[in-house]
Amino acid sequence: MSDTNIIKDLKSKGLKLNNSRMQILELFLGNHRSHSAPELVELLKMKMDRATVYRNLNFFVENKILDQIQLQGETPKYELAALEHHHHLICKHCKKISSIQSKSLENALETTTNEIKDFTITDHVFEFYGLCKDCLNNEE
Amino acid sequence: MSDTNIIKDLKSKGLKLNNSRMQILELFLGNHRSHSAPELVELLKMKMDRATVYRNLNFFVENKILDQIQLQGETPKYELAALEHHHHLICKHCKKISSIQSKSLENALETTTNEIKDFTITDHVFEFYGLCKDCLNNEE
DNA sequence: ATTGCTGCAAATCCTTTGCAATGTA
DNA sequence: TACATTGCAAAGGATTTGCAGCAAT
C-alpha cells in the first residue's frame, strides 16, 4: 500500500487525522523505520506534548495503523502496520532493524502448529539477532 | 543439568552464592518456571530488599545462570538459563508460559540462516501466542 | 584491611491519568 | 452544543543508584 493509500485507508475507517496525528504519521511515512515512544517524544517535543504522542501511538495501534514490537531488553518500538507478514533482523552492534520473509520458516511454523496438541497457536513472533553486513565489515 | 549440578557449576565459575542469591535461586529451582522481577520482589519482601533482588538478578544474567526473556507487552521475566534450547508458548488468556522444542523449526532456522546474505544470524527468539488447553476448554 | 553485599531512600526512566482549556463536527 | 483532543502537571510502576553500614575473606 502506498503512503497516500494509508491515509485514504484511515479515512475510510472513519478515523480522524488531525494535525498531531498527521505529524506522527509523517515521521513513519518519511523513513519507513521503527521508532520508540521516547524517540518520537524527543523528535516532536516542540510540536506536541509527550502525552499526546503516547495517546496517539496507542490510538494508531488500536486502529491497526501501527504495530508495537517488543525486542529483547528494549523499550517497545512502533512501525507501520505490516501488510505482509514478516520478521525482524536486529543488529546487535548498530541496533538497526531490517525485515525478512521466509517461506521455510512459515512452513515450519505450520508443521509446529500441527505437532502441538495441548496449545492452540494463533500468533507468533520470530526475532533474529546478529550482525548486519556493515557491522560485520567494519569489525573492531 | 540437575539442580545440584547448577550449584556446582556456579562454584566452578568462582561465583559466590551467599544467602540472598541462594534464596532467589531456590525459587527457580523449586518450580523451573519463569518469574518477573516485581513478582520476585513480592515473594521475597520479608527476606531481602528490592534492590538486592534486582542486583542479583542482573548478577545471574551476567553470569549466564538466568536468562532474561522479554515477551510482547510484559515486563521481563527470568528463567534458569536454558540447558536445552527451547521456545515459549504464551497463553493470551491465563498468561501461563510453557516451552517447546521443535525439530522442524530448528531446521527451518538453519535454512533461513543460509538463505540470508547480508546479515549473520547468531541468536533467535521464537515466541508463540495462543490459548492453552485449559483456557480453550473453559472458554467464556 | 580490603572487598563485596546489603538496606534504605532517593532518583530515574517510561508511560498513564485527571483536569481544565481548546478544537471541531 | 456535544464530543474528541490537547497541554500540563502529577501520579504510577519498574528499575537503578548513592551512600553508609555490615559481612566475609
Side-chain angles (χ1 to χ4, degrees):
Chain A
M1 180 149 53
S2 75
D3 296 356
T4 54
N5 278 350
I6 288 177
I7 294 172
K8 271 188 207 157
D9 182 53
L10 285 175
K11 291 191 176 152
S12 75
K13 285 184 186 168
L15 300 180
K16 296 181 203 159
L17 275 189
N18 60 18
N19 250 337
S20 308
R21 289 178 186 163
M22 208 51 181
Q23 289 182 88
I24 293 174
L25 214 45
E26 274 168 4
L27 285 180
F28 286 97
L29 294 172
N31 61 22
H32 286 253
R33 293 229 312 281
S34 61
H35 301 280
S36 67
E39 193 180 324
L40 292 166
V41 167
E42 173 63 23
L43 284 170
L44 294 164
K45 73 172 165 216
M46 288 100 38
K47 306 192 175 170
M48 72 192 73
D49 189 76
R50 191 174 30 195
T52 304
V53 174
Y54 277 96
R55 281 191 276 236
N56 281 328
L57 285 174
N58 289 336
F59 169 88
F60 283 133
V61 170
E62 281 157 23
N63 289 290
K64 307 201 190 304
I65 310 306
L66 295 179
D67 284 335
Q68 191 194 49
I69 58 181
Q70 173 98 53
L71 303 178
Q72 299 303 303
E74 299 188 20
T75 85
K77 292 195 164 45
Y78 299 84
E79 63 177 22
L80 287 171
L83 310 160
E84 319 251 5
H85 180 67
H86 68 283
H87 300 290
H88 296 106
L89 299 170
I90 304 101
C91 179
K92 291 202 264 188
H93 188 255
C94 71
K95 303 284 177 183
K96 202 171 61 195
I97 301 170
S98 40
S99 42
I100 52 161
Q101 295 168 265
S102 164
K103 198 86 179 129
S104 37
L105 274 177
E106 302 310 325
N107 288 341
L109 169 65
E110 203 174 321
T111 307
T112 305
T113 302
N114 294 333
E115 275 169 13
I116 296 173
K117 297 282 168 264
D118 49 0
F119 193 97
T120 305
I121 295 174
T122 57
D123 299 287
H124 65 280
V125 173
F126 296 165
E127 296 163 4
F128 301 91
Y129 296 84
L131 289 174
C132 69
K133 195 166 63 177
D134 294 344
C135 290
L136 207 54
N137 293 338
N138 314 342
E139 254 324 56
E140 69 299 16
Chain B
M1 181 149 48
S2 75
D3 295 358
T4 54
N5 279 349
I6 287 177
I7 292 172
K8 272 190 206 156
D9 183 52
L10 284 175
K11 291 191 176 155
S12 75
K13 284 183 185 168
L15 300 180
K16 297 182 202 157
L17 275 189
N18 61 18
N19 248 338
S20 309
R21 290 179 186 164
M22 209 52 182
Q23 288 181 89
I24 294 174
L25 214 45
E26 273 167 5
L27 285 179
F28 287 96
L29 294 172
N31 60 22
H32 286 254
R33 293 229 312 280
S34 62
H35 302 280
S36 68
E39 193 179 325
L40 293 166
V41 167
E42 174 62 23
L43 285 170
L44 294 164
K45 72 171 164 217
M46 288 99 38
K47 305 191 175 170
M48 72 192 73
D49 189 74
R50 191 174 33 197
T52 303
V53 174
Y54 277 97
R55 281 191 275 236
N56 282 326
L57 285 174
N58 290 337
F59 168 88
F60 284 133
V61 170
E62 282 157 21
N63 289 289
K64 306 200 190 307
I65 309 306
L66 295 178
D67 284 335
Q68 191 193 49
I69 58 182
Q70 174 99 50
L71 304 177
Q72 301 301 303
E74 300 188 20
T75 85
K77 292 194 165 47
Y78 299 84
E79 63 178 24
L80 286 172
L83 310 161
E84 318 251 5
H85 181 68
H86 68 282
H87 299 291
H88 296 105
L89 299 170
I90 304 101
C91 178
K92 291 202 262 188
H93 188 254
C94 70
K95 305 283 177 181
K96 202 172 59 195
I97 300 171
S98 40
S99 44
I100 52 160
Q101 294 168 264
S102 164
K103 198 86 180 131
S104 37
L105 273 177
E106 301 310 325
N107 289 340
L109 169 65
E110 202 175 322
T111 308
T112 304
T113 302
N114 293 333
E115 275 169 13
I116 295 173
K117 297 281 170 266
D118 49 1
F119 193 96
T120 304
I121 295 173
T122 57
D123 299 287
H124 65 281
V125 173
F126 296 165
E127 296 163 3
F128 301 91
Y129 297 84
L131 289 174
C132 69
K133 196 166 62 176
D134 294 344
C135 290
L136 208 54
N137 293 339
N138 315 340
E139 255 323 55
E140 66 304 13

PDB file of all heavy atoms in Angstrom, chain B residues 109-133:
ATOM      1  N   LEU B 109      15.172 -22.761  10.687  1.00  0.00           N
ATOM      2  CA  LEU B 109      16.076 -21.698  11.088  1.00  0.00           C
ATOM      3  C   LEU B 109      17.392 -21.816  10.336  1.00  0.00           C
ATOM      4  O   LEU B 109      17.937 -20.843   9.836  1.00  0.00           O
ATOM      5  CB  LEU B 109      16.334 -21.775  12.593  1.00  0.00           C
ATOM      6  CG  LEU B 109      17.463 -20.867  13.081  1.00  0.00           C
ATOM      7  CD1 LEU B 109      17.082 -19.410  12.887  1.00  0.00           C
ATOM      8  CD2 LEU B 109      17.795 -21.155  14.524  1.00  0.00           C
ATOM      9  N   GLU B 110      17.860 -23.043  10.240  1.00  0.00           N
ATOM     10  CA  GLU B 110      19.129 -23.259   9.558  1.00  0.00           C
ATOM     11  C   GLU B 110      19.019 -22.861   8.093  1.00  0.00           C
ATOM     12  O   GLU B 110      19.889 -22.178   7.545  1.00  0.00           O
ATOM     13  CB  GLU B 110      19.528 -24.731   9.696  1.00  0.00           C
ATOM     14  CG  GLU B 110      21.018 -24.957   9.507  1.00  0.00           C
ATOM     15  CD  GLU B 110      21.393 -26.409   9.760  1.00  0.00           C
ATOM     16  OE1 GLU B 110      20.812 -27.006  10.695  1.00  0.00           O
ATOM     17  OE2 GLU B 110      22.244 -26.931   9.005  1.00  0.00           O
ATOM     18  N   THR B 111      17.929 -23.268   7.479  1.00  0.00           N
ATOM     19  CA  THR B 111      17.700 -22.903   6.081  1.00  0.00           C
ATOM     20  C   THR B 111      17.676 -21.384   5.927  1.00  0.00           C
ATOM     21  O   THR B 111      18.337 -20.818   5.051  1.00  0.00           O
ATOM     22  CB  THR B 111      16.344 -23.465   5.603  1.00  0.00           C
ATOM     23  OG1 THR B 111      16.307 -24.852   5.894  1.00  0.00           O
ATOM     24  CG2 THR B 111      16.149 -23.230   4.114  1.00  0.00           C
ATOM     25  N   THR B 112      16.936 -20.738   6.810  1.00  0.00           N
ATOM     26  CA  THR B 112      16.817 -19.284   6.741  1.00  0.00           C
ATOM     27  C   THR B 112      18.180 -18.616   6.929  1.00  0.00           C
ATOM     28  O   THR B 112      18.544 -17.697   6.206  1.00  0.00           O
ATOM     29  CB  THR B 112      15.856 -18.785   7.835  1.00  0.00           C
ATOM     30  OG1 THR B 112      14.611 -19.462   7.686  1.00  0.00           O
ATOM     31  CG2 THR B 112      15.636 -17.289   7.730  1.00  0.00           C
ATOM     32  N   THR B 113      18.916 -19.111   7.893  1.00  0.00           N
ATOM     33  CA  THR B 113      20.247 -18.561   8.153  1.00  0.00           C
ATOM     34  C   THR B 113      21.105 -18.604   6.888  1.00  0.00           C
ATOM     35  O   THR B 113      21.830 -17.649   6.583  1.00  0.00           O
ATOM     36  CB  THR B 113      20.942 -19.361   9.272  1.00  0.00           C
ATOM     37  OG1 THR B 113      20.124 -19.310  10.440  1.00  0.00           O
ATOM     38  CG2 THR B 113      22.303 -18.772   9.596  1.00  0.00           C
ATOM     39  N   ASN B 114      20.991 -19.698   6.172  1.00  0.00           N
ATOM     40  CA  ASN B 114      21.789 -19.824   4.957  1.00  0.00           C
ATOM     41  C   ASN B 114      21.255 -18.964   3.815  1.00  0.00           C
ATOM     42  O   ASN B 114      22.015 -18.459   2.998  1.00  0.00           O
ATOM     43  CB  ASN B 114      21.825 -21.290   4.511  1.00  0.00           C
ATOM     44  CG  ASN B 114      22.582 -22.136   5.515  1.00  0.00           C
ATOM     45  OD1 ASN B 114      23.460 -21.632   6.221  1.00  0.00           O
ATOM     46  ND2 ASN B 114      22.244 -23.422   5.594  1.00  0.00           N
ATOM     47  N   GLU B 115      19.938 -18.804   3.782  1.00  0.00           N
ATOM     48  CA  GLU B 115      19.309 -18.005   2.724  1.00  0.00           C
ATOM     49  C   GLU B 115      19.741 -16.541   2.769  1.00  0.00           C
ATOM     50  O   GLU B 115      19.852 -15.883   1.752  1.00  0.00           O
ATOM     51  CB  GLU B 115      17.782 -18.051   2.876  1.00  0.00           C
ATOM     52  CG  GLU B 115      17.080 -19.238   2.237  1.00  0.00           C
ATOM     53  CD  GLU B 115      15.608 -19.309   2.693  1.00  0.00           C
ATOM     54  OE1 GLU B 115      15.102 -18.321   3.284  1.00  0.00           O
ATOM     55  OE2 GLU B 115      14.990 -20.346   2.471  1.00  0.00           O
ATOM     56  N   ILE B 116      19.941 -16.050   3.981  1.00  0.00           N
ATOM     57  CA  ILE B 116      20.159 -14.619   4.141  1.00  0.00           C
ATOM     58  C   ILE B 116      21.608 -14.245   3.891  1.00  0.00           C
ATOM     59  O   ILE B 116      22.523 -14.791   4.499  1.00  0.00           O
ATOM     60  CB  ILE B 116      19.727 -14.184   5.547  1.00  0.00           C
ATOM     61  CG1 ILE B 116      18.220 -14.389   5.659  1.00  0.00           C
ATOM     62  CG2 ILE B 116      20.086 -12.734   5.802  1.00  0.00           C
ATOM     63  CD1 ILE B 116      17.697 -14.167   7.043  1.00  0.00           C
ATOM     64  N   LYS B 117      21.788 -13.275   3.016  1.00  0.00           N
ATOM     65  CA  LYS B 117      23.141 -12.971   2.575  1.00  0.00           C
ATOM     66  C   LYS B 117      23.771 -11.799   3.330  1.00  0.00           C
ATOM     67  O   LYS B 117      24.948 -11.817   3.633  1.00  0.00           O
ATOM     68  CB  LYS B 117      23.137 -12.650   1.067  1.00  0.00           C
ATOM     69  CG  LYS B 117      22.697 -13.828   0.211  1.00  0.00           C
ATOM     70  CD  LYS B 117      23.819 -14.845   0.010  1.00  0.00           C
ATOM     71  CE  LYS B 117      23.310 -16.135  -0.632  1.00  0.00           C
ATOM     72  NZ  LYS B 117      22.968 -17.160   0.368  1.00  0.00           N
ATOM     73  N   ASP B 118      22.998 -10.805   3.612  1.00  0.00           N
ATOM     74  CA  ASP B 118      23.609  -9.594   4.166  1.00  0.00           C
ATOM     75  C   ASP B 118      23.383  -9.413   5.663  1.00  0.00           C
ATOM     76  O   ASP B 118      23.323  -8.303   6.182  1.00  0.00           O
ATOM     77  CB  ASP B 118      23.135  -8.364   3.404  1.00  0.00           C
ATOM     78  CG  ASP B 118      21.635  -8.354   3.262  1.00  0.00           C
ATOM     79  OD1 ASP B 118      20.996  -9.290   3.783  1.00  0.00           O
ATOM     80  OD2 ASP B 118      21.102  -7.419   2.635  1.00  0.00           O
ATOM     81  N   PHE B 119      23.249 -10.507   6.338  1.00  0.00           N
ATOM     82  CA  PHE B 119      23.067 -10.450   7.783  1.00  0.00           C
ATOM     83  C   PHE B 119      23.509 -11.797   8.349  1.00  0.00           C
ATOM     84  O   PHE B 119      23.191 -12.847   7.796  1.00  0.00           O
ATOM     85  CB  PHE B 119      21.590 -10.203   8.132  1.00  0.00           C
ATOM     86  CG  PHE B 119      21.361  -9.817   9.567  1.00  0.00           C
ATOM     87  CD1 PHE B 119      21.246  -8.490   9.938  1.00  0.00           C
ATOM     88  CD2 PHE B 119      21.256 -10.803  10.560  1.00  0.00           C
ATOM     89  CE1 PHE B 119      21.034  -8.133  11.258  1.00  0.00           C
ATOM     90  CE2 PHE B 119      21.045 -10.446  11.886  1.00  0.00           C
ATOM     91  CZ  PHE B 119      20.936  -9.104  12.231  1.00  0.00           C
ATOM     92  N   THR B 120      24.256 -11.763   9.427  1.00  0.00           N
ATOM     93  CA  THR B 120      24.710 -13.003  10.042  1.00  0.00           C
ATOM     94  C   THR B 120      23.949 -13.247  11.324  1.00  0.00           C
ATOM     95  O   THR B 120      24.109 -12.514  12.296  1.00  0.00           O
ATOM     96  CB  THR B 120      26.216 -12.924  10.356  1.00  0.00           C
ATOM     97  OG1 THR B 120      26.919 -12.617   9.158  1.00  0.00           O
ATOM     98  CG2 THR B 120      26.713 -14.238  10.920  1.00  0.00           C
ATOM     99  N   ILE B 121      23.100 -14.241  11.310  1.00  0.00           N
ATOM    100  CA  ILE B 121      22.269 -14.546  12.469  1.00  0.00           C
ATOM    101  C   ILE B 121      23.073 -15.328  13.503  1.00  0.00           C
ATOM    102  O   ILE B 121      23.690 -16.338  13.183  1.00  0.00           O
ATOM    103  CB  ILE B 121      21.035 -15.376  12.053  1.00  0.00           C
ATOM    104  CG1 ILE B 121      20.135 -14.540  11.130  1.00  0.00           C
ATOM    105  CG2 ILE B 121      20.265 -15.853  13.278  1.00  0.00           C
ATOM    106  CD1 ILE B 121      18.978 -15.318  10.539  1.00  0.00           C
ATOM    107  N   THR B 122      23.070 -14.817  14.734  1.00  0.00           N
ATOM    108  CA  THR B 122      23.770 -15.533  15.800  1.00  0.00           C
ATOM    109  C   THR B 122      22.810 -16.049  16.874  1.00  0.00           C
ATOM    110  O   THR B 122      23.107 -17.013  17.557  1.00  0.00           O
ATOM    111  CB  THR B 122      24.795 -14.627  16.502  1.00  0.00           C
ATOM    112  OG1 THR B 122      24.126 -13.477  17.013  1.00  0.00           O
ATOM    113  CG2 THR B 122      25.874 -14.182  15.537  1.00  0.00           C
ATOM    114  N   ASP B 123      21.691 -15.381  17.034  1.00  0.00           N
ATOM    115  CA  ASP B 123      20.711 -15.780  18.037  1.00  0.00           C
ATOM    116  C   ASP B 123      19.313 -15.596  17.470  1.00  0.00           C
ATOM    117  O   ASP B 123      19.111 -14.840  16.535  1.00  0.00           O
ATOM    118  CB  ASP B 123      20.819 -14.885  19.281  1.00  0.00           C
ATOM    119  CG  ASP B 123      22.175 -14.984  19.928  1.00  0.00           C
ATOM    120  OD1 ASP B 123      22.454 -16.011  20.543  1.00  0.00           O
ATOM    121  OD2 ASP B 123      22.957 -14.018  19.783  1.00  0.00           O
ATOM    122  N   HIS B 124      18.376 -16.242  18.117  1.00  0.00           N
ATOM    123  CA  HIS B 124      16.995 -16.039  17.686  1.00  0.00           C
ATOM    124  C   HIS B 124      16.054 -16.243  18.855  1.00  0.00           C
ATOM    125  O   HIS B 124      16.397 -16.893  19.843  1.00  0.00           O
ATOM    126  CB  HIS B 124      16.644 -16.988  16.556  1.00  0.00           C
ATOM    127  CG  HIS B 124      16.671 -18.435  16.972  1.00  0.00           C
ATOM    128  ND1 HIS B 124      17.842 -19.143  17.087  1.00  0.00           N
ATOM    129  CD2 HIS B 124      15.681 -19.290  17.322  1.00  0.00           C
ATOM    130  CE1 HIS B 124      17.574 -20.375  17.484  1.00  0.00           C
ATOM    131  NE2 HIS B 124      16.275 -20.485  17.645  1.00  0.00           N
ATOM    132  N   VAL B 125      14.890 -15.656  18.730  1.00  0.00           N
ATOM    133  CA  VAL B 125      13.835 -15.801  19.726  1.00  0.00           C
ATOM    134  C   VAL B 125      12.560 -16.112  18.973  1.00  0.00           C
ATOM    135  O   VAL B 125      12.161 -15.346  18.094  1.00  0.00           O
ATOM    136  CB  VAL B 125      13.649 -14.486  20.510  1.00  0.00           C
ATOM    137  CG1 VAL B 125      12.434 -14.592  21.419  1.00  0.00           C
ATOM    138  CG2 VAL B 125      14.893 -14.152  21.309  1.00  0.00           C
ATOM    139  N   PHE B 126      11.970 -17.228  19.259  1.00  0.00           N
ATOM    140  CA  PHE B 126      10.678 -17.566  18.658  1.00  0.00           C
ATOM    141  C   PHE B 126       9.664 -17.589  19.792  1.00  0.00           C
ATOM    142  O   PHE B 126       9.871 -18.280  20.791  1.00  0.00           O
ATOM    143  CB  PHE B 126      10.682 -18.950  17.994  1.00  0.00           C
ATOM    144  CG  PHE B 126      11.605 -19.085  16.816  1.00  0.00           C
ATOM    145  CD1 PHE B 126      11.919 -20.352  16.331  1.00  0.00           C
ATOM    146  CD2 PHE B 126      12.148 -17.981  16.172  1.00  0.00           C
ATOM    147  CE1 PHE B 126      12.772 -20.502  15.239  1.00  0.00           C
ATOM    148  CE2 PHE B 126      12.997 -18.127  15.081  1.00  0.00           C
ATOM    149  CZ  PHE B 126      13.317 -19.394  14.612  1.00  0.00           C
ATOM    150  N   GLU B 127       8.585 -16.862  19.645  1.00  0.00           N
ATOM    151  CA  GLU B 127       7.545 -16.875  20.672  1.00  0.00           C
ATOM    152  C   GLU B 127       6.217 -17.227  20.015  1.00  0.00           C
ATOM    153  O   GLU B 127       5.924 -16.741  18.933  1.00  0.00           O
ATOM    154  CB  GLU B 127       7.397 -15.497  21.320  1.00  0.00           C
ATOM    155  CG  GLU B 127       8.628 -15.035  22.073  1.00  0.00           C
ATOM    156  CD  GLU B 127       8.610 -13.525  22.332  1.00  0.00           C
ATOM    157  OE1 GLU B 127       7.614 -12.863  21.975  1.00  0.00           O
ATOM    158  OE2 GLU B 127       9.608 -13.028  22.871  1.00  0.00           O
ATOM    159  N   PHE B 128       5.436 -18.026  20.705  1.00  0.00           N
ATOM    160  CA  PHE B 128       4.141 -18.416  20.171  1.00  0.00           C
ATOM    161  C   PHE B 128       3.051 -17.981  21.126  1.00  0.00           C
ATOM    162  O   PHE B 128       3.109 -18.270  22.317  1.00  0.00           O
ATOM    163  CB  PHE B 128       4.084 -19.930  19.964  1.00  0.00           C
ATOM    164  CG  PHE B 128       5.148 -20.413  19.026  1.00  0.00           C
ATOM    165  CD1 PHE B 128       6.383 -20.810  19.511  1.00  0.00           C
ATOM    166  CD2 PHE B 128       4.934 -20.418  17.660  1.00  0.00           C
ATOM    167  CE1 PHE B 128       7.390 -21.229  18.639  1.00  0.00           C
ATOM    168  CE2 PHE B 128       5.932 -20.827  16.785  1.00  0.00           C
ATOM    169  CZ  PHE B 128       7.160 -21.237  17.275  1.00  0.00           C
ATOM    170  N   TYR B 129       2.074 -17.303  20.618  1.00  0.00           N
ATOM    171  CA  TYR B 129       0.957 -16.829  21.431  1.00  0.00           C
ATOM    172  C   TYR B 129      -0.304 -17.563  21.022  1.00  0.00           C
ATOM    173  O   TYR B 129      -0.482 -17.890  19.847  1.00  0.00           O
ATOM    174  CB  TYR B 129       0.785 -15.320  21.248  1.00  0.00           C
ATOM    175  CG  TYR B 129       1.996 -14.548  21.736  1.00  0.00           C
ATOM    176  CD1 TYR B 129       3.114 -14.351  20.924  1.00  0.00           C
ATOM    177  CD2 TYR B 129       2.039 -14.051  23.034  1.00  0.00           C
ATOM    178  CE1 TYR B 129       4.238 -13.682  21.385  1.00  0.00           C
ATOM    179  CE2 TYR B 129       3.150 -13.380  23.503  1.00  0.00           C
ATOM    180  CZ  TYR B 129       4.246 -13.198  22.677  1.00  0.00           C
ATOM    181  OH  TYR B 129       5.350 -12.538  23.156  1.00  0.00           O
ATOM    182  N   GLY B 130      -1.146 -17.814  21.985  1.00  0.00           N
ATOM    183  CA  GLY B 130      -2.382 -18.525  21.678  1.00  0.00           C
ATOM    184  C   GLY B 130      -3.128 -18.894  22.932  1.00  0.00           C
ATOM    185  O   GLY B 130      -3.111 -18.146  23.906  1.00  0.00           O
ATOM    186  N   LEU B 131      -3.784 -20.033  22.911  1.00  0.00           N
ATOM    187  CA  LEU B 131      -4.553 -20.468  24.074  1.00  0.00           C
ATOM    188  C   LEU B 131      -4.105 -21.850  24.521  1.00  0.00           C
ATOM    189  O   LEU B 131      -3.971 -22.759  23.705  1.00  0.00           O
ATOM    190  CB  LEU B 131      -6.055 -20.514  23.736  1.00  0.00           C
ATOM    191  CG  LEU B 131      -6.743 -19.159  23.561  1.00  0.00           C
ATOM    192  CD1 LEU B 131      -8.175 -19.350  23.085  1.00  0.00           C
ATOM    193  CD2 LEU B 131      -6.711 -18.366  24.868  1.00  0.00           C
ATOM    194  N   CYS B 132      -3.904 -22.007  25.820  1.00  0.00           N
ATOM    195  CA  CYS B 132      -3.524 -23.308  26.350  1.00  0.00           C
ATOM    196  C   CYS B 132      -4.781 -24.176  26.442  1.00  0.00           C
ATOM    197  O   CYS B 132      -5.901 -23.687  26.308  1.00  0.00           O
ATOM    198  CB  CYS B 132      -2.863 -23.176  27.720  1.00  0.00           C
ATOM    199  SG  CYS B 132      -3.961 -22.665  29.028  1.00  0.00           S
ATOM    200  N   LYS B 133      -4.579 -25.453  26.676  1.00  0.00           N
ATOM    201  CA  LYS B 133      -5.699 -26.394  26.667  1.00  0.00           C
ATOM    202  C   LYS B 133      -6.774 -25.992  27.673  1.00  0.00           C
ATOM    203  O   LYS B 133      -7.960 -25.986  27.360  1.00  0.00           O
ATOM    204  CB  LYS B 133      -5.192 -27.808  26.968  1.00  0.00           C
ATOM    205  CG  LYS B 133      -6.180 -28.889  26.619  1.00  0.00           C
ATOM    206  CD  LYS B 133      -5.539 -30.267  26.603  1.00  0.00           C
ATOM    207  CE  LYS B 133      -5.000 -30.658  27.968  1.00  0.00           C
ATOM    208  NZ  LYS B 133      -4.461 -32.040  27.961  1.00  0.00           N
TER     209      LYS B 133
END
